[in-house]
Amino acid sequence: MPRFSIVVPSHGVAGRLSQALDSVLAQSFGDFELIPVCDAPDAPAADVVAGYAERDSRVTPVHSPPSAGLAGARNTGLKAAVGGHVLFLDGDDVLVPGALAALDTRMSAVGDVDVLYFEHERTPWWEGEPTNPAAPLLARTPEGAFSPGRAPQLTGVALPAWSAVYRRAFLTERDLAFPGDHFTDVGFGGLVALRAERVAALRAVVVRHLLRRQGNRLGLPGEHHAELLDQTERVLARAAEQDLPADRLKPLFEQLFAAVLKTAAHPRRLTSGRRAFFRRASALYRRHRPAGYRAPGGSVGVQHRLLASGSYAAFRTLRAAHRTASRAAALLPRPRGLRTRLRYAAALRLPLDRNLVVYCAYWGRGYACNPAAIHAKARLLAPHLRSVFLVEPEAVGSVPPGVEHAVIGSRKYWQVLARAKYLVNNANFADAVVKRPGSVHLQTQHGTPLKTMGADQATYPVVAAATGSFAKLLARVDRWDFNLTSNRHSTEMWERAFPGAHETLEYGYPRNDVYCRASAEDVARVRRELGVPDGKKALLYAPTHRDYATGFETGLDLAEFCEAIGDDYVVLLRAHYFYDQGPGRGGGRIIDVTGHRSSEDVCLAADALITDYSSIMFDYANLDRPIVAYADDWDVYRETRGVYFDLMELPPGRVARTPEELAAVFRDGSYADETATSLRAAFRERFCQFDDGRAAERVVRRVLLGEPPESIPPVIPLAERVPAPAATLVRS
């Protein structure tokens, strides 16, 4: 029997789960079992956990459905545990180095106790100093093992479940489990403290709790806050059954109602039913108030007295007085120009137009990418919706006929942004755009991340300097309701890079639908439009942006490359969209397609792709055509930009480091040989998971039509998809 069983729920933390598991497996004390609790065998976290289970026999994953919540996940882990003592660790928290050794030493010193409480460090995700809220509670505890009556401040309700280790037999013998769906730590901690007979404390930090930037899920608005009263009533009823002494009941009562009053006074947590919440809390207060109890002083005491008297009107007035100024400041729109601000503010006071959808792609560069694909599908599946595409003045000419548009910065632009129910973007809307209650923001992204993105860029000085304010970036993330991903890798990386309260949609990228739907005639048409000569093999060369370079430099002499590979090929040059300056870099066998509106068309026209580290490789892989990675500066790029995985270990095909190597793989045909095909197959398996040709339909049905998740068309397996045919090459 292992000394410790460590239960780690993982719902919603797939992107950070590895650091929690690593912190356990790296402990110097190794007598433990690690029990990650995943939603299902095919859940995002299950992919992460599977690798750990293969490498370490101490990792024994179990499954608990999301509907069971955190309480269900912990209870499932507890039932599977066989260790002498149980420790609960959240999936985005970590054990500090030496934590288990310190616990073992302390438990050996104090003997057999039901609960050993310890300190934890609350570390802000973004900025601010760490805090240790458990330290004051544990500072006055006796040195050895003691009965709970000797430390009445240890009520259990003020400490999270992961700030203690529990004797497993104690929990099972007394049938102690996590109650309810929400605020389960309050109920569990209170009941454990009431049933424990011998406890002890370790005055040292064991768990480092990584505070989410968007706050605890329990702090979000919703009806779940009523469950705080359920947990409060559950604990106080148990205390009454035990006839808890007054010296223990008083701190328990105060700590429970401190949480209740905080919720009652919060302006956004209770979106409805505030009066009912207050009245029920008042009844509980009066029923369980200890004999002779005196309310604390100051404003907290005023709230206590109002709760005791049931004076909701007075409590509401007090609450409103504290929030008026801050609410007015938060609602103030800040577009430039006084006249624009006034018009926008006036439009914000009008009702949302529930049939209005606003789209934007690449900061207004035109009708493109995922927003354009969703727009096109919405015209078929939801024709009752009015759609407006936002574009910069110079991009107006690229908008297809029949597509309504608004020029960025115009009066119409601010009007539709203020009124639209749905806002769809593959980048972000302007900082001045207000997220209105009831509006729905969909972030579609515009690629699969190889390079670091979002908040992960902060540790790379060159990138961070160009990014600007990360606080503003993350404020824009807070507006998202949905975030789209095309593979499980993206799901995990976006969760790290853009932490927020939005829902992830693993539906695929709508812009990639065409790769499973285009015909040979479509491919031929695009090649004619781009000027690809009949019978020639078209190689798409698409290098990415270099943060450490100024201007566009290919790093490859394309004229020499064309000369080296022979007359059978032409090169389609597509520079990063940062360098879209119109024609001028082409000529002869080099066709500059940088300014072409659709990268999807360009990919359809190409028989093979040459790229360095551009995310276009992940999209192009859906076509199952050869890909060559030209990685002449990989080491520099990796160090200056930062990457999420080593492309050299997981390439999409052949890798060339020099112009000579690149020319050679095309001269000898190895760019499309069996080895290249095998590498591409593994790459597709990992990164083409959800792009099956129906992504746009799934998005429209789920987001714009509000259909339930269970009715959304499932993803077609990779082996059953038929990509668009290449013009001159035979696909494997």
Side-chain angles (χ1 to χ4, degrees), residues 227-302:
E227 295 184 43
L228 174 59
L229 299 181
D230 297 338
Q231 301 289 4
T232 299
E233 185 171 19
R234 181 177 285 114
V235 173
L236 289 175
R238 179 63 196 180
E241 290 175 9
Q242 290 186 203
D243 196 18
L244 197 68
D247 61 336
R248 290 188 63 189
L249 181 58
K250 180 177 180 292
L252 176 64
F253 180 85
E254 284 191 339
Q255 290 178 23
L256 284 169
F257 277 97
V260 169
L261 284 168
K262 184 177 181 180
T263 296
H266 200 283
R268 289 179 297 161
R269 290 185 180 177
L270 293 169
T271 54
S272 62
R274 295 189 185 96
R275 184 184 298 272
F277 182 94
F278 185 88
R279 286 177 174 173
R280 185 183 169 198
S282 178
L284 283 175
Y285 189 97
R286 292 192 296 270
R287 185 186 316 146
H288 294 283
R289 179 170 47 188
Y293 177 74
R294 296 182 61 184
S299 61
V300 175
V302 174

Side-chain angles (χ1 to χ4, degrees), residues 647-678:
L647 184 65
M648 300 302 100
E649 293 183 1
L650 296 167
R654 291 287 186 178
V655 176
R657 295 277 195 163
T658 66
E660 293 75 20
E661 290 180 3
L662 182 62
V665 300
F666 285 96
R667 281 199 309 268
D668 62 21
S670 59
Y671 76 101
D673 66 7
E674 185 176 346
T675 298
T677 301
S678 177

Side-chain angles (χ1 to χ4, degrees), residues 527-711:
R527 287 169 68 91
R528 287 194 302 271
E529 292 175 358
L530 296 179
V532 178
D534 290 340
K536 295 292 185 180
K537 300 172 184 176
L539 306 180
L540 173 58
Y541 177 50
T544 192
H545 168 63
R546 300 296 195 277
D547 297 278
Y548 52 86
T550 57
F552 173 70
E553 297 178 6
T554 66
L556 178 68
D557 189 319
L558 291 179
E560 290 185 4
F561 173 69
C562 288
E563 185 68 25
I565 62 176
D567 294 337
D568 290 339
Y569 299 94
V570 295
V571 173
L572 304 176
L573 169 62
R574 189 169 181 84
H576 191 278
Y577 57 81
F578 285 176
Y579 310 112
D580 179 7
Q581 298 175 352
R585 287 185 290 265
R589 292 165 55 196
I590 303 169
I591 304 173
D592 191 342
V593 296
T594 301
H596 189 76
R597 178 179 59 84
S598 170
S599 64
E600 295 78 54
D601 280 357
V602 173
C603 287
L604 286 173
D607 299 292
L609 170 68
I610 304 170
T611 188
D612 40 24
Y613 327 118
S614 170
S615 66
I616 199 173
M617 74 178 81
F618 302 100
D619 304 316
Y620 191 83
N622 285 286
L623 289 167
D624 197 15
R625 302 177 190 175
I627 303 174
V628 177
Y630 179 53
D632 59 331
D633 62 345
W634 169 249
D635 294 333
V636 175
Y637 186 86
R638 179 175 56 184
E639 291 300 318
T640 56
R641 176 66 205 228
V643 295
Y644 287 121
F645 67 92
D646 191 342
L647 184 65
M648 300 302 100
E649 293 183 1
L650 296 167
R654 291 287 186 178
V655 176
R657 295 277 195 163
T658 66
E660 293 75 20
E661 290 180 3
L662 182 62
V665 300
F666 285 96
R667 281 199 309 268
D668 62 21
S670 59
Y671 76 101
D673 66 7
E674 185 176 346
T675 298
T677 301
S678 177
L679 291 170
R680 185 170 73 252
F683 192 83
R684 280 166 49 80
E685 191 72 29
R686 182 176 182 186
F687 296 111
C688 298
Q689 286 173 284
F690 310 136
D691 288 337
D692 64 348
R694 301 190 69 180
E697 178 185 353
R698 282 190 282 269
V699 171
V700 171
R701 292 190 181 281
R702 177 77 168 89
V703 178
L704 302 184
L705 295 178
E707 296 183 7
E710 58 270 16
S711 70

Side-chain angles (χ1 to χ4, degrees), residues 353-388:
D353 184 340
R354 300 191 175 278
N355 290 323
L356 176 59
V357 191
V358 170
Y359 298 88
C360 190
Y362 298 116
W363 302 275
R365 288 184 62 244
Y367 185 83
C369 196
N370 292 318
I374 296 170
H375 173 273
K377 183 62 67 173
R379 297 177 80 174
L380 297 175
L381 298 181
H384 64 285
L385 296 177
R386 175 195 173 197
S387 300
V388 180

Side-chain angles (χ1 to χ4, degrees), residues 268-508:
R268 289 179 297 161
R269 290 185 180 177
L270 293 169
T271 54
S272 62
R274 295 189 185 96
R275 184 184 298 272
F277 182 94
F278 185 88
R279 286 177 174 173
R280 185 183 169 198
S282 178
L284 283 175
Y285 189 97
R286 292 192 296 270
R287 185 186 316 146
H288 294 283
R289 179 170 47 188
Y293 177 74
R294 296 182 61 184
S299 61
V300 175
V302 174
Q303 294 181 50
H304 271 259
R305 288 188 287 274
L306 292 176
L307 189 63
S309 64
S311 303
Y312 176 70
F315 185 86
R316 182 178 58 186
T317 301
L318 179 66
R319 181 188 63 199
H322 284 97
R323 59 186 267 207
T324 299
S326 59
R327 183 175 63 178
L331 291 177
L332 181 64
R334 293 181 174 82
R336 293 181 179 178
L338 177 59
R339 183 176 298 177
T340 302
R341 285 201 299 271
L342 293 175
R343 286 173 178 163
Y344 184 50
L348 287 172
R349 288 193 287 269
L350 298 174
L352 284 175
D353 184 340
R354 300 191 175 278
N355 290 323
L356 176 59
V357 191
V358 170
Y359 298 88
C360 190
Y362 298 116
W363 302 275
R365 288 184 62 244
Y367 185 83
C369 196
N370 292 318
I374 296 170
H375 173 273
K377 183 62 67 173
R379 297 177 80 174
L380 297 175
L381 298 181
H384 64 285
L385 296 177
R386 175 195 173 197
S387 300
V388 180
F389 228 94
L390 306 181
V391 292
E392 290 287 356
E394 59 271 18
V396 170
S398 69
V399 179
V403 175
E404 184 179 356
H405 68 276
V407 175
I408 291 178
S410 67
R411 178 185 298 187
K412 181 179 179 181
Y413 166 83
W414 288 109
Q415 286 176 338
V416 295
L417 281 174
R419 300 289 309 281
K421 163 79 171 181
Y422 305 99
L423 294 96
V424 181
N425 207 326
N426 73 348
N428 265 306
F429 290 98
D431 292 341
V433 173
V434 173
K435 173 67 165 73
R436 296 186 63 178
S439 66
V440 177
H441 285 236
L442 168 64
Q443 169 59 249
T444 73
Q445 303 295 345
H446 54 270
T448 291
L450 166 62
K451 60 191 176 186
T452 56
M453 300 292 291
D456 288 339
Q457 299 171 349
T459 56
Y460 295 90
V462 173
V463 188
T467 301
S469 169
F470 283 95
K472 289 183 177 180
L473 167 68
L474 296 170
R476 295 190 287 269
V477 171
D478 286 340
R479 297 186 301 213
W480 302 354
D481 294 289
F482 297 101
N483 185 36
L484 202 57
T485 74
S486 59
N487 48 63
R488 189 57 53 77
H489 163 77
S490 294
T491 298
E492 297 175 15
M493 297 310 105
W494 293 147
E495 184 179 302
R496 285 177 42 181
F498 303 116
H502 50 265
E503 178 183 347
T504 296
L505 299 179
E506 292 184 321
Y507 287 176

Side-chain angles (χ1 to χ4, degrees), residues 54-207:
E54 291 176 2
R55 297 189 297 271
D56 197 314
S57 61
R58 295 174 296 179
V59 181
T60 56
V62 296
H63 300 108
S64 176
S67 58
L70 177 62
R74 286 175 174 170
N75 289 334
T76 298
L78 177 59
K79 290 177 182 178
V82 297
H85 294 80
V86 182
L87 190 151
F88 299 96
L89 184 70
D90 279 359
D92 50 0
D93 295 342
V94 298
L95 290 181
V96 301
L100 294 184
L103 288 175
D104 177 68
T105 300
R106 181 60 174 160
M107 292 168 64
S108 298
V110 300
D112 197 22
V113 295
D114 296 327
V115 186
L116 174 66
Y117 295 101
F118 51 74
E119 296 176 8
H120 64 271
E121 186 177 83
R122 297 171 66 86
T123 303
W125 178 87
W126 186 242
E127 60 185 10
E129 294 298 323
T131 59
N132 186 343
L137 290 173
L138 302 183
R140 304 190 304 275
T141 55
E143 289 300 321
F146 54 90
S147 64
R150 295 182 60 194
Q153 76 277 10
L154 284 182
T155 67
V157 301
L159 290 176
W162 37 259
S163 197
V165 61
Y166 311 88
R167 185 166 61 87
R168 186 170 63 86
F170 159 69
L171 296 179
T172 56
E173 289 168 1
R174 288 161 177 77
D175 198 26
L176 288 167
F178 288 88
D181 295 323
H182 298 90
F183 301 97
T184 187
D185 281 18
V186 173
F188 180 77
L191 295 175
V192 164
L194 289 172
R195 302 297 298 276
E197 296 178 0
R198 295 183 80 246
V199 299
L202 171 62
R203 300 189 194 96
V205 172
V206 171
V207 171

